Amino acid sequence: AYAVTIVQRTSMSVSGLFAVERFGVGPSMLSVFVFLQLLIYALCQVPVGLALDRFGARAVLTFGALISALGQFLLAHTDQVGFALLARGVIGLGDAATFISAIRLINFWFTGPRIPMMTQFVHMMGVTAQIITALPFAATLVAHGWTYSYTLLAVVGPDPDEAHTTSR
């Protein structure tokens, strides 16, 4: 789930030239797309943490996956800057729910010295996901264009049902 979230988060980094063409914006506006997503991510940490305590990691992870997919779908099918910014904000919300849920699940599934090791493993999955963004997603973007590539990101997401049933 975290790897997919990182691909969704960093997708804009390889599609800057496509975004300039699609939305008719300059480089400064492109930075707003990234900034807005990270701002929403940061602002949602406390509410997501409260939701995690109340509803459990599996529910919050599922919410994050669905919200991120919705954001990517919106981004795939708009050519208006305002809706694209809204979509990136939605992706930021989904992103906020994922890492913290993954860390919570690690604490349920593992004990002792395995916890920091597995936390690092999740982080490494995120780094691997950045490579996926840089190579296969960029190639898909070049070969098939914006709408297809971002729709693909929306439908290829984590399977929240794979989360362990003991997540609270």
Side-chain angles (χ1 to χ4, degrees):
Y2 183 60
V4 171
T5 297
I6 293 298
V7 171
Q8 292 177 341
R9 179 193 304 170
T10 59
S11 60
M12 191 62 78
S13 67
V14 298
S15 57
L17 294 176
F18 288 87
V20 165
E21 182 179 314
R22 184 171 185 91
F23 302 115
V25 297
S28 61
M29 187 55 159
L30 285 182
S31 65
V32 173
F33 281 98
V34 176
F35 174 76
L36 177 65
Q37 181 181 351
L38 293 174
L39 176 66
I40 298 296
Y41 175 89
L43 291 175
C44 289
Q45 289 303 297
V46 171
V48 165
L50 293 172
L52 192 58
D53 290 342
R54 181 174 176 117
F55 301 110
R58 185 175 180 172
V60 174
L61 184 63
T62 300
F63 171 79
L66 293 173
I67 288 296
S68 290
L70 173 65
Q72 291 294 9
F73 188 80
L74 290 172
L75 189 61
H77 295 278
T78 190
D79 58 2
Q80 297 179 6
V81 174
F83 284 118
L85 288 170
L86 174 68
R88 290 299 286 184
V90 169
I91 294 165
L93 174 59
D95 187 1
T98 304
F99 183 70
I100 193 170
S101 296
I103 298 305
R104 172 68 65 93
L105 288 173
I106 287 170
N107 286 300
F108 278 112
W109 294 342
F110 300 97
T111 59
R114 289 187 176 165
I115 292 173
M117 183 178 71
M118 294 309 296
T119 301
Q120 186 61 32
F121 177 75
V122 169
H123 174 71
M124 289 184 325
M125 292 300 299
V127 171
T128 303
Q130 290 176 338
I131 295 168
I132 292 169
T133 306
L135 301 174
F137 180 71
T140 303
L141 195 58
V142 168
H144 299 287
W146 184 276
T147 301
Y148 177 88
S149 300
Y150 275 91
T151 300
L152 187 62
L153 283 183
V155 299
V156 178
D159 182 359
D161 290 331
E162 289 185 14
H164 193 277
T165 56
T166 310
S167 62
R168 288 191 114 192

